[in-house]
Amino acid sequence: RAALVEFEHLDLANLPDPLELDANFGRRAPRILEIGSGLGDTVLGLATTHPDQDFIAADVHTKGIARTLLQIHARGLTNVRVLHGDALDLLQRLPDDALAQILVFFPDPWPKSRHHKRRLVRRGFAQAAARVLQPGGLLHVATDIPEYAEHTRAVMAADPHFALTHDGARVPSRPRTKYEMAGERHGRHAIDLVYVLR
């Protein structure tokens, strides 16, 4: 938790509206938002290998955000910010066309019917994503729950702003996550769904 205080300037949740990402990052670059960044492994790896891009790691869990902040500092990364809080709130605060990509890797499937309203991928999310993505921007969802993949297909098919460009096995360029590898040991395999903003 000390990391949250020491590196609070890296948390977009602490910034006033409107969010000025160019000013915060100190440059203009393609911006990629990972929603549900967990302990930060994926976004930190991507930021290390793509120094020409800027990344935002969004998660509600304090432990994951704190670890991500410590790793940003330890690795000397200047192209990563965090958002400690609800990613849907962040989407509302972002200016139009702010992002090149939105990554949603293994979101909580909320399997019980009464909890489906808590799922990230729903009509309001698709609408918000369409506003903040640049034309030609990507929304990349990965899940190892076939029912959630079907749910995502239904939600996204109903939004005219997006075209499906990949539906199937893991996109080779996507980093494999620890959660994913654990699932594979139990016979679950990722389904990647990639949409482009028309």
Side-chain angles (χ1 to χ4, degrees), residues 60-71:
V60 295
H61 298 293
T62 301
K63 178 183 173 186
I65 289 293
R67 181 184 180 275
T68 302
L69 287 167
L70 289 170
Q71 284 295 310

Side-chain angles (χ1 to χ4, degrees), residues 69-198:
L69 287 167
L70 289 170
Q71 284 295 310
I72 290 169
H73 179 67
R75 301 181 191 198
L77 294 170
T78 59
N79 61 332
V80 188
R81 301 293 182 270
V82 303
L83 185 284
H84 184 208
D86 189 316
L88 279 175
D89 291 343
L90 172 67
L91 291 180
Q92 305 303 332
R93 297 176 62 207
L94 284 173
D96 294 355
D97 304 338
L99 301 174
Q101 296 180 43
I102 297 174
L103 311 177
V104 183
F105 297 155
F106 306 97
D108 192 325
W110 293 103
K112 293 180 180 175
S113 296
R114 68 178 185 274
H115 292 155
H116 283 186
K117 63 182 179 290
R118 297 184 184 178
R119 288 176 168 178
L120 173 67
V121 178
R122 53 187 191 267
R123 182 165 169 251
F125 168 74
Q127 291 171 332
R131 185 185 66 77
V132 300
L133 279 169
Q134 300 156 359
L138 298 181
L139 171 64
H140 187 168
V141 180
T143 181
D144 59 1
I145 309 292
E147 194 272 329
Y148 196 88
E150 196 53 47
H151 165 84
T152 300
R153 291 184 189 106
V155 169
M156 298 305 298
D159 192 300
H161 298 100
F162 289 96
L164 179 65
T165 62
H166 178 90
D167 181 343
R170 182 177 75 89
V171 173
S173 60
R174 176 177 63 73
R176 289 172 78 223
T177 71
K178 289 177 182 173
Y179 172 89
E180 179 178 7
M181 289 184 271
E184 287 170 352
R185 292 193 290 274
H186 292 94
R188 297 194 311 271
H189 294 280
I191 301 162
D192 280 39
L193 298 162
V194 182
Y195 297 88
V196 62
L197 187 67
R198 296 182 194 273

